[in-house]
Amino acid sequence: PVVRSKILVEWPRGEAAACKAAYTPASPEHELARRLRDAYRRVTAARLSPDEKERFARRFVAICDLAKRDVDHADTRLDAFLADLEEDSDTPRRRNIAECD
């Protein structure tokens, strides 16, 4: 059963699997869109100076614009963007957190 807007919807078992498969993003465009959404969240959450944040925001917009024309090139540029963002950000990441004894 799926609850949407306080209305209970019952799907027959076979249809539920088909609906789930239909909504599974598998294309490179969907994957890039997911990564762009994640990158946007990282930029807005990063502890950067206003000038650095503006620089990253401009690069992000350029990558989004490129994604409309060339998904593969945008994906490559996004990889470099995220690597640069991780270098400049002082936001703790999972791999930088010390293990507990």
Side-chain angles (χ1 to χ4, degrees), residues 43-44 46-58:
V43 169
T44 57
R47 292 184 224 156
L48 300 168
S49 71
D51 290 339
E52 289 175 319
K53 199 170 248 193
E54 181 180 348
R55 182 173 57 91
F56 277 108
R58 287 179 187 273

Side-chain angles (χ1 to χ4, degrees), residues 56-69 74 77:
F56 277 108
R58 287 179 187 273
R59 282 182 66 192
F60 177 76
V61 169
I63 294 168
C64 291
D65 187 51
L66 176 63
K68 296 174 190 176
R69 296 182 306 276
R77 296 249 329 252

Side-chain angles (χ1 to χ4, degrees), residues 12-80:
R13 294 185 191 274
E15 287 182 33
C19 288
K20 184 176 181 182
Y23 289 106
T24 303
S27 70
E29 292 85 3
H30 283 106
E31 180 63 21
L32 179 61
R34 184 193 61 75
R35 293 184 65 220
L36 285 169
R37 205 170 35 248
D38 182 51
Y40 173 77
R41 290 179 183 141
R42 288 185 191 188
V43 169
T44 57
R47 292 184 224 156
L48 300 168
S49 71
D51 290 339
E52 289 175 319
K53 199 170 248 193
E54 181 180 348
R55 182 173 57 91
F56 277 108
R58 287 179 187 273
R59 282 182 66 192
F60 177 76
V61 169
I63 294 168
C64 291
D65 187 51
L66 176 63
K68 296 174 190 176
R69 296 182 306 276
D70 188 351
V71 173
D72 293 331
H73 190 200
D75 193 49
T76 303
R77 296 249 329 252
L78 183 59
D79 288 337

